[in-house]
Amino acid sequence: KDIMTRIAIPLSLSILLALTGAAGAQPPDDELVPDAELFSPAEGPWVVKIDFDDRAIADALYQRIDVWTIVHDQGYLEAAVSPEEYRELEAEGLRLEIDAAKTGKLRRLGISLKMQTAGIPGFPCYRTVEETYAAAEAIVAAHPDLATWTDIGDSWEKTQDPQAGWDLFVLKLTQSAVPGPKPVFFAHFAIHAREYATAEVGTRFAEMLAGGYGSDPDVTWLLDSHEIHLVLQANPDGRKQAETGLSWRKNTDNDYCSNTNTRGADLNRNFDFEWGCCGGSSGSQCNTLYRGPLPASEPEIQALQAYAASIFPDQRGPDLSDPAPPDATGVAIDVHAYGELVLWPWGFTFTDSPNATAFATLGRKLAFFNGYSPFKTRDFTAADGDSLDYYYGELGVAGLAYEIGTEFFESCSFFEANILPSNLDSLLFGAKVARTPYLTPAGPEAMDAAAPPLPVAAGDLVTLTATVDDTRFNNSNGTEPTQTIAAAEAFVGVPPWDAGAVPLAMAASDGTFDEGAEAVEATIDTTGLAPGRHTLFVRGLDSAGNEGVVAAAFLYVVDPATSPVIQGLVREAGTLAPLAATVTLGSFVTATDPGTGFYSLQVPAGTYDVTAEAAGYPSQTVPGVVANDLATVQQDFLLVPEVPCTVDVDFDDGSAAGWTNSGASTCSTGTFVVATPTQQSSGGVVTQVGGDHTSGTGNAFFSATNSSAGNADVDGGVCIVESPVYPIAADSDVSLWFFHGQRDQGDDAGDFFLLEISTDGGTNYAPLVSLGDVTVNAAWTEATAGVTAGSDVRFRVQVADGSGPGDIVEGGVDDLLICPTAPACVTDADCDDALFCNGGETCVAGSCQAGTPVACDDGVSCTVDACNEATDACDATPSDALCDNGLFCDGAETCDAVLGCQSGSDPCPGQACDEVGDACVECSVDADCDDSLFCNGVESC
């Protein structure tokens, strides 16, 4: 029946040509011809570009077929169509062009990459629902003062079976110690399940905020003063379907289009505002735009609407013509893919919303950061019952939507390099203006606020600098009016919106406020500032009276009389020669005196991770160094010189560095060459990388440069290359980068990639990487191994294409390093378990050895409180800091120059101290007293 059906379906020649590449003569290389499994012409679906001359055509098609995006300025849309739909559209006179790459990627969904252990199959950068939830829970566990994880409702499947489906959660981020009320930024992601990148953007945004609190001044003031509410997976049931490889958009409500892969409701057409009013959704249950039988019929939308109503006040009247007040608060963003757009209301009508001017300003500002086109939604497509119209129409909140990226199934490389950084910046700005989103975006943006990076003494005069800029808008759709800068203000410790904020006028660095962007500066008098960290805020004002978003900088103040000092020596281990080094103490960076290796920095009291770095030496970090007021903390470093790598091969000089093509090779094409690879893709699979591993522009050793997919790949057998022999004098670590790209899997057992290592000069080999007949997107990947002294190391690479037609197989290597293994320890501190020489460990010749107790003058072994940590030896006259270890119930000991460690003021006169209960007890025998905590090791009753 299947064969007869295929014969009976008369497909147009244009489809066959597009899918087989058969226009004109048959390609000379059979690798150019995609196999039947990937592009079976009679099966579909295909991703197509459809040209249109009239917006009405695009609107009509949006109602009929699965439209992915619309590109109005170029007059085409992209959609997934079945064979029947293709025939119908072509018969109507529309011009269709199949996108083979996107069609191939659609067919490859659900297939994991080789060695992939996490993420959506084939896309390891995108976390699954479970992994997203685990990431949110990890944020809460690590930052309980900043984050909460709250169940706000159930998915459809969970409403049917409490043991199935998912809870919908909100991750809320704000500093709980700072009281509210606070303005709210609300965003949700992945409401359309197949839009892979969206949930990951939200999760990375949350991780950026939580990780930046306390170190990034702008993130810190944001979480102190605002609330960030994120629904990272707004459609978890649908997303789980999409993770299997289905192009799933809707939720999974089986009451509609039951028991099919097109069941469910489009959640972004189910909101209770202008629901189903205006041709922006579908009443057909199997359509991708099906709006559901009633407004807010779906539990996911009920949860989102109820939650929004709980965090936002209702700030807009009931009529469509009622504007939200200019000072209305709150931003709500719904993040979608794809199309590279920033959208605002309305979506159901071409009529402008009553806040249209402010929306355009906000949209152009947000689009400045991600480079997307800013549009009113209806100017892009019709949408009724959607999220942004609901948040604005019902609550007066500034509701917007993003369409991120260039496809639903965006590659991880494009996501990491392009989508993620630009959209994190855009979301961050959206969160910053949540207090007054209809006002603040029009003002000049304050940026790059900077104060002295090292602590200053109270009373010092310091310079605060920044830039204020009124011109940063995306004017690709209309032009945003801008003004010259009129003024800039600084605020010390109190943000401008809080009571008690005192503005300090800043000056234009060039002397005059007369441009749309100005560098500004002010002198800050630190007299009266308490020791510790202070936040300095900068805000700009333009000539139209618009105040912009603030920028912040941290200023650290110390009291020279009381603040602690962290100091020490950085020397070379063994020779003890002083080193010119950089020492990082938390967020502070200082340098040693090159002649002595000495550094010293007065810091606010606190706990610091201290790191020493010097050229030619591995860095060393001592975490958790406690610096209390009045203390001088000695933290020395002994750095071990780096041992240079014995082998370093990168092919950039144009030579193969002794690597050769083996005479045992049987391949007809694909012989390895030294050149710069060019990225090639076929059927949605990257078969050759673009550029070398290190710079992307240098050379590698690989299976021939391609000018198009498959024209010089491995064909006709196996290509074998071998390295020269590398004698190894010391135990070493091996690192070799490789790529392997292969389109098609499971059809030819003769397809494989094998990277091997030999330690006996090539007599015997063991595999480092072994890949059979699998689909692999080419990407530079590191292979590592350890080899022992005396080895004769050699590498062999085999890349094979079996006899079956239709496969494309590529491979290559770059950047070989063989470096002596770092010792297991460098200093005693690497081994020491805080018992020091008394029962501790020491570092001897790079490995930890059991310590030997050191005898004090009275014959008793040195104990913790009398041991000098810097020298790992007993101190006859230790400092108070060495004595005072908090183990006594009074919490203090003192150091007497003659007697050594003495207990502090005695809270238990005539009695003993019960160390377990930290209380006074009567002593009756020596055992009641003798706890070995005193520096002489003995007490008596």
Side-chain angles (χ1 to χ4, degrees):
K1 178 179 178 181
D2 183 60
I3 293 174
M4 293 305 295
T5 300
R6 295 189 187 196
I7 293 173
I9 296 176
L11 294 178
S12 73
L13 180 60
S14 61
I15 294 179
L16 296 173
L17 293 179
L19 292 177
T20 62
Q26 181 74 10
D29 187 339
D30 65 1
E31 306 294 54
L32 287 174
V33 184
D35 68 5
E37 177 189 359
L38 216 151
F39 295 111
S40 179
E43 292 178 355
W46 307 297
V47 181
V48 297
K49 291 173 64 175
I50 305 176
D51 294 333
F52 62 85
D53 299 321
D54 188 326
R55 174 182 293 274
I57 295 175
D59 288 346
L61 290 174
Y62 204 61
Q63 295 293 316
R64 293 174 51 191
I65 59 176
D66 184 11
V67 173
W68 286 14
T69 194
I70 304 174
V71 185
H72 284 287
D73 60 347
Q74 298 183 45
Y76 75 88
L77 58 80
E78 294 180 351
V81 298
S82 67
E84 292 79 10
E85 289 170 329
Y86 190 103
R87 252 195 336 272
E88 292 170 2
L89 296 170
E90 193 175 49
E92 293 168 10
L94 293 172
R95 182 179 180 277
L96 289 79
E97 177 185 349
I98 290 177
D99 187 322
K102 287 185 178 179
T103 300
K105 185 174 287 190
L106 182 62
R107 305 285 179 89
R108 291 298 185 187
L109 297 179
I111 301 174
S112 291
L113 301 180
K114 188 70 174 179
M115 298 180 286
Q116 182 179 346
T117 59
I120 295 175
F123 300 86
C125 60
Y126 303 135
R127 280 170 275 203
T128 63
V129 173
E130 296 92 334
E131 291 164 345
T132 302
Y133 281 15
E137 291 165 356
I139 291 173
V140 174
H143 305 278
D145 57 330
L146 295 177
T148 57
W149 183 235
T150 304
D151 183 350
I152 63 167
D154 295 335
S155 70
W156 179 82
E157 290 186 17
K158 189 158 188 178
T159 65
Q160 306 303 299
D161 179 359
Q163 303 306 311
W166 299 84
D167 294 313
L168 268 65
F169 282 95
V170 166
L171 179 63
K172 176 183 173 182
L173 296 166
T174 191
Q175 174 50 262
S176 59
V178 179
K182 303 176 184 180
V184 170
F185 173 85
F186 177 48
H188 50 75
F189 308 82
I191 201 168
H192 289 152
R194 64 190 176 189
E195 297 167 8
Y196 281 178
T198 59
E200 189 63 27
V201 166
T203 307
R204 302 280 188 102
F205 183 55
E207 290 171 334
M208 180 191 78
L209 294 176
Y213 185 83
S215 58
D216 184 311
D218 282 331
V219 168
T220 303
W221 79 251
L222 178 64
L223 293 187
D224 281 343
S225 299
H226 290 199
E227 294 179 1
I228 314 296
H229 300 246
L230 307 173
V231 180
L232 302 175
Q233 296 280 1
N235 180 10
D237 290 347
R239 173 50 73 96
K240 292 311 296 180
Q241 294 291 338
E243 288 172 9
T244 69
L246 296 172
S247 181
W248 200 284
R249 173 183 170 97
K250 302 187 284 186
N251 74 350
T252 62
D253 193 329
N254 202 41
D255 292 337
Y256 326 127
C257 201
S258 303
N259 303 319
T260 70
N261 286 340
T262 55
R263 67 183 183 272
D266 181 349
L267 296 179
N268 201 39
R269 298 297 186 273
N270 190 240
F271 283 85
D272 190 7
F273 185 83
E274 298 298 321
W275 176 86
C277 73
C278 309
S281 58
S282 173
S284 174
Q285 291 186 357
C286 298
N287 190 282
T288 55
L289 296 178
Y290 177 57
R291 57 183 169 259
L294 296 168
S297 59
E298 305 310 296
E300 296 90 348
I301 299 308
Q302 294 166 18
L304 291 176
Q305 291 187 173
Y307 190 75
S310 75
I311 60 175
F312 292 120
D314 185 350
Q315 303 165 94
R316 204 183 76 84
D319 294 335
L320 291 179
S321 59
D322 290 335
D327 61 351
T329 186
V331 171
I333 294 181
D334 185 1
V335 179
H336 291 263
Y338 61 100
E340 298 189 325
L341 300 166
V342 174
L343 305 172
W344 59 84
W346 302 114
F348 66 90
T349 176
F350 283 107
T351 301
D352 283 344
S353 76
N355 293 94
T357 300
F359 265 122
T361 299
L362 175 57
R364 290 174 184 143
K365 189 69 179 181
L366 295 173
F368 171 83
F369 295 96
N370 54 24
Y372 295 172
S373 299
F375 273 96
K376 181 177 67 181
T377 304
R378 187 63 188 91
D379 291 340
F380 169 63
T381 190
D384 47 37
D386 67 338
S387 60
L388 58 92
D389 281 3
Y390 174 83
Y391 295 130
Y392 172 64
E394 285 293 328
L395 302 170
V397 170
L400 299 101
Y402 288 9
E403 294 282 357
I404 63 174
T406 61
E407 55 182 310
F408 293 145
F409 317 111
E410 202 78 68
S411 71
C412 285
S413 60
F414 187 76
F415 172 78
E416 299 285 358
N418 182 289
I419 293 176
L420 183 63
S422 62
N423 281 289
L424 290 182
D425 289 342
S426 187
L427 290 171
L428 183 63
F429 184 87
K432 288 179 179 180
V433 300
R435 184 176 301 275
T436 50
Y438 300 125
L439 295 175
T440 306
E445 179 188 359
M447 306 178 296
D448 305 324
L454 294 179
V456 300
D460 286 353
L461 298 178
V462 300
T463 300
L464 171 66
T465 62
T467 298
V468 288
D469 195 326
D470 203 58
T471 67
R472 286 156 55 97
F473 296 94
N474 185 321
N475 292 318
S476 60
N477 179 30
T479 301
E480 185 65 28
T482 60
Q483 294 79 35
T484 58
I485 306 302
E489 300 169 319
F491 300 81
V492 180
V494 180
W497 49 82
D498 278 0
V502 178
L504 172 67
M506 302 183 75
S509 298
D510 64 3
T512 307
F513 286 114
D514 57 0
E515 298 180 75
E518 296 276 2
V520 296
E521 58 187 50
T523 299
I524 306 295
D525 185 351
T526 63
T527 300
L529 294 184
R533 188 184 74 196
H534 299 267
T535 304
L536 308 180
F537 300 89
V538 176
R539 182 176 67 182
L541 180 76
D542 68 23
S543 58
N546 300 308
E547 295 174 340
V549 70
V550 304
F554 287 147
L555 175 67
Y556 296 89
V557 175
V558 294
D559 181 347
T562 61
S563 294
V565 172
I566 300 178
Q567 65 181 31
L569 294 170
V570 181
R571 297 173 292 172
E572 182 178 279
T575 68
L576 301 184
L579 293 176
T582 298
V583 181
T584 303
L585 307 94
S587 60
F588 309 126
V589 180
T590 189
T592 62
D593 181 321
T596 64
F598 179 74
Y599 73 93
S600 179
L601 189 64
Q602 191 166 34
V603 296
T607 300
Y608 297 87
D609 293 344
V610 185
T611 299
E613 298 177 275
Y617 298 80
S619 65
Q620 192 177 126
T621 299
V622 177
V625 175
V626 177
N628 295 319
D629 281 340
L630 300 174
T632 297
V633 180
Q634 187 79 14
Q635 184 58 63
D636 295 333
F637 292 90
L638 294 175
L639 302 185
V640 176
E642 290 178 343
V643 179
C645 294
T646 56
V647 178
D648 185 349
V649 177
D650 65 6
F651 304 106
D652 281 349
D653 62 0
S655 115
W659 288 66
T660 59
N661 286 280
S662 170
S665 298
T666 61
C667 58
S668 56
T669 62
T671 300
F672 275 51
V673 299
V674 176
T676 303
T678 55
Q679 180 168 320
Q680 300 296 334
S681 298
S682 178
V685 179
V686 178
T687 55
Q688 184 174 115
V689 297
D692 70 338
H693 161 248
T694 310
S695 65
T697 58
N699 292 329
F701 192 50
F702 65 102
S703 52
T705 306
N706 285 186
S707 58
S708 61
N711 73 343
D713 63 309
V714 175
D715 273 329
V718 58
C719 288
I720 305 172
V721 296
E722 294 175 313
S723 76
V725 175
Y726 302 108
I728 305 302
D731 292 353
S732 297
D733 295 323
V734 173
S735 169
L736 176 61
W737 290 83
F738 72 94
F739 80 83
H740 169 222
Q742 181 175 322
R743 197 204 69 198
D744 303 339
Q745 68 173 2
D747 60 344
D748 190 344
D751 298 339
F752 67 86
F753 176 90
L754 182 61
L755 169 60
E756 301 170 289
I757 185 171
S758 170
T759 57
D760 57 11
T763 302
N764 298 287
Y765 282 94
L768 279 178
V769 179
S770 179
L771 303 174
D773 187 30
V774 294
T775 296
V776 178
N777 279 292
W780 285 114
T781 307
E782 185 181 25
T784 60
V787 294
T788 58
S791 299
D792 288 323
V793 172
R794 195 174 194 185
F795 300 93
R796 182 168 66 188
V797 182
Q798 301 185 58
V799 188
D801 178 20
S803 59
D807 297 327
I808 297 179
V809 184
E810 301 270 16
V813 293
D814 196 16
D815 289 330
L816 168 64
L817 288 176
I818 303 179
C819 310
T821 303
C825 63
V826 175
T827 67
D828 287 353
D830 294 333
C831 302
D832 219 315
D833 53 9
L835 295 173
F836 305 109
C837 53
N838 180 28
E841 297 176 296
T842 57
C843 179
V844 178
S847 61
C848 295
Q849 306 292 320
T852 303
V854 178
C856 294
D857 292 342
D858 58 4
V860 178
S861 292
C862 177
T863 55
V864 173
D865 56 319
C867 183
N868 186 323
E869 182 173 357
T871 62
D872 205 18
C874 294
D875 234 333
T877 57
S879 68
D880 284 353
L882 294 175
C883 295
D884 192 356
N885 52 29
L887 294 171
F888 295 88
C889 60
D890 65 344
E893 298 171 82
T894 58
C895 174
D896 184 276
V898 177
L899 300 176
C901 292
Q902 303 293 302
S903 63
S905 57
D906 188 3
C908 306
Q911 297 178 299
C913 179
D914 181 345
E915 296 295 329
V916 176
D918 205 20
C920 301
V921 295
E922 297 291 338
C923 67
S924 57
V925 295
D926 285 356
D928 291 336
C929 300
D930 194 355
D931 50 22
S932 297
L933 291 171
F934 293 92
C935 56
N936 66 348
V938 178
E939 297 173 85
S940 59
C941 177

